Amino acid sequence: MYSFYQRDEEALKYFNQSLKIKKELYQQKKTMLSYILSDYFSIVNFYRVNNNLSSARLYLDSCYLTQKKLDKKTKNFYLEAESGYLEASNNHFEIAIEKLTASRDHFMIHGKSYLIIIDYLLGDVYRMMGDFRTSESYYLSSLDMSRIYKSHSNYKVMAHEALDKLYIKDYKYEEAYYHNNEAKILNEKVFGRKSSNTQHLFEIKDRFRTQKEKEQELIKEQRIAKLESDDKIWFLQFILMTVVLAFLVVYGFLLFKNLRRKHKMEKKDPRRKERT
């Protein structure tokens, strides 16, 4: 959720927490290795979307190592697609196109909605190669797929933004303006505060904030009550010490008075002292 709504710091924190928990559970034989692979893959996507490709490569390596433990023979085309894109970032375009095309063929049969992402990645790769016409066709295909399957809304925004930049380079300002405007409208519709898609997230945040405020108020009240209690205890201790001190003073005074009286009597009657 946080990754989708571009709250990157929170997203990465929860991805890593999830990964840590799943690794611990797997060691205890309480979960499957495929869940760890899923977390690694989510982090690859996170870093790739944020253009941190070096970190994406590291986690993709972890994905492949985990995949080998699961199934050494079967290709994972989710990983192949990400690998293809990263190959293109290293200017290995032939390998990139080969992997992404194979992934596209796979998802044409097994999950067409994922073509929204595959076609966007192909559009990016052809843009890197300088083939703007093919790049344009894949970005438009990604948009068509998103209209049909109504998923991966963030890629719809990204495709409009990519087409905007592409058309500006090609001096097609009318088309560029259209896609720039569509990206802004869609961005507000999908990610804006008034969006029905994000309303539940803000409600969760508001409930969390309200709960935290209540907790802080309770802690504050407890501290005040403790301070008041400490003040009462200190006051009672002060009174007790005052009473004890007063008693000791009175007792000392009476003792001294009694000894003095006794001393005077002994002076008047020495025989009394002898009898004593």
Side-chain angles (χ1 to χ4, degrees):
M1 288 287 287
Y2 278 121
S3 175
F4 187 82
Y5 294 112
Q6 300 171 349
R7 299 288 298 277
D8 297 337
E9 188 176 338
E10 292 94 337
L12 193 57
K13 179 182 77 172
Y14 284 111
F15 279 141
N16 285 322
Q17 281 183 2
S18 177
L19 185 59
K20 180 183 176 184
I21 291 167
K22 286 174 185 174
K23 283 181 176 180
E24 290 172 355
L25 290 173
Y26 180 70
Q27 291 295 324
Q28 299 168 20
K29 297 182 179 180
K30 292 181 179 179
T31 193
M32 294 183 291
L33 197 58
S34 56
Y35 289 118
I36 295 175
L37 175 60
S38 176
D39 272 2
Y40 277 134
F41 183 71
S42 296
I43 297 173
V44 171
N45 269 273
F46 170 82
Y47 279 125
R48 191 251 303 155
V49 168
N50 285 279
N51 205 35
N52 186 342
L53 301 185
S54 58
S55 294
R57 287 186 187 92
L58 287 173
Y59 280 94
L60 186 61
D61 287 343
S62 298
C63 283
Y64 274 115
L65 288 171
T66 308
Q67 175 64 24
K68 282 181 181 178
K69 292 178 183 177
L70 283 167
D71 189 346
K72 293 183 179 179
K73 295 180 181 179
T74 306
K75 275 189 178 181
N76 185 319
F77 285 97
Y78 291 97
L79 304 186
E80 288 293 289
E82 295 296 330
S83 175
Y85 183 83
L86 293 175
E87 290 286 358
S89 70
N90 285 329
N91 296 323
H92 301 152
F93 296 117
E94 187 175 340
I95 298 172
I97 296 299
E98 181 183 340
K99 288 192 172 190
L100 281 165
T101 302
S103 298
R104 194 175 196 279
D105 292 340
H106 171 81
F107 288 111
M108 280 292 291
I109 301 169
H110 307 285
K112 286 188 176 181
S113 65
Y114 204 72
L115 293 177
I116 297 167
I117 296 175
I118 298 295
D119 285 355
Y120 173 83
L121 295 178
L122 279 164
D124 261 9
V125 171
Y126 278 106
R127 176 186 54 76
M128 294 178 203
M129 294 168 64
D131 186 347
F132 295 152
R133 294 286 72 79
T134 307
S135 174
E136 175 192 15
S137 68
Y138 276 113
Y139 285 141
L140 290 171
S141 176
S142 177
L143 286 175
D144 288 339
M145 290 295 175
S146 66
R147 292 187 193 102
I148 295 168
Y149 296 105
K150 303 186 186 306
S151 60
H152 306 293
S153 302
N154 54 328
Y155 280 88
K156 192 173 182 181
V157 176
M158 290 159 66
H160 277 301
E161 290 173 342
L163 283 165
D164 169 34
K165 293 174 183 175
L166 206 65
Y167 287 132
I168 286 174
K169 285 184 178 180
D170 205 22
Y171 305 104
K172 295 182 177 180
Y173 299 117
E174 189 175 341
E175 289 92 336
Y177 174 78
Y178 168 77
H179 287 286
N180 179 276
N181 192 53
E182 285 295 304
K184 287 180 179 177
I185 293 170
L186 189 59
N187 194 59
E188 179 60 29
K189 183 179 178 182
V190 175
F191 302 112
R193 189 173 182 87
K194 294 181 181 179
S195 167
S196 59
N197 295 327
T198 60
Q199 196 63 42
H200 62 287
L201 181 64
F202 289 115
E203 287 172 1
I204 290 168
K205 287 182 68 179
D206 287 341
R207 286 200 299 269
F208 178 74
R209 178 182 53 78
T210 302
Q211 182 63 29
K212 292 298 289 183
E213 286 175 355
K214 287 181 179 178
E215 288 175 4
Q216 292 296 325
E217 188 63 30
L218 181 60
I219 291 169
K220 185 178 177 181
E221 289 175 0
Q222 288 174 342
R223 284 178 178 170
I224 291 171
K226 187 177 184 302
L227 287 171
E228 289 176 350
S229 176
D230 289 345
D231 285 343
K232 288 178 181 177
I233 292 170
W234 181 86
F235 182 68
L236 290 172
Q237 288 175 337
F238 176 76
I239 291 174
L240 182 61
M241 288 175 66
T242 303
V243 170
V244 170
L245 186 60
F247 173 78
L248 290 173
V249 169
V250 172
Y251 177 77
F253 175 75
L254 292 174
L255 182 62
F256 175 75
K257 189 176 179 181
N258 185 54
L259 289 172
R260 190 174 180 184
R261 182 180 59 81
K262 187 177 178 182
H263 183 66
K264 285 181 178 180
M265 290 177 66
E266 288 174 350
K267 272 187 174 184
K268 290 179 180 180
D269 187 1
R271 289 176 297 176
R272 184 184 181 90
K273 184 177 181 181
E274 289 174 5
R275 288 197 298 269
T276 304

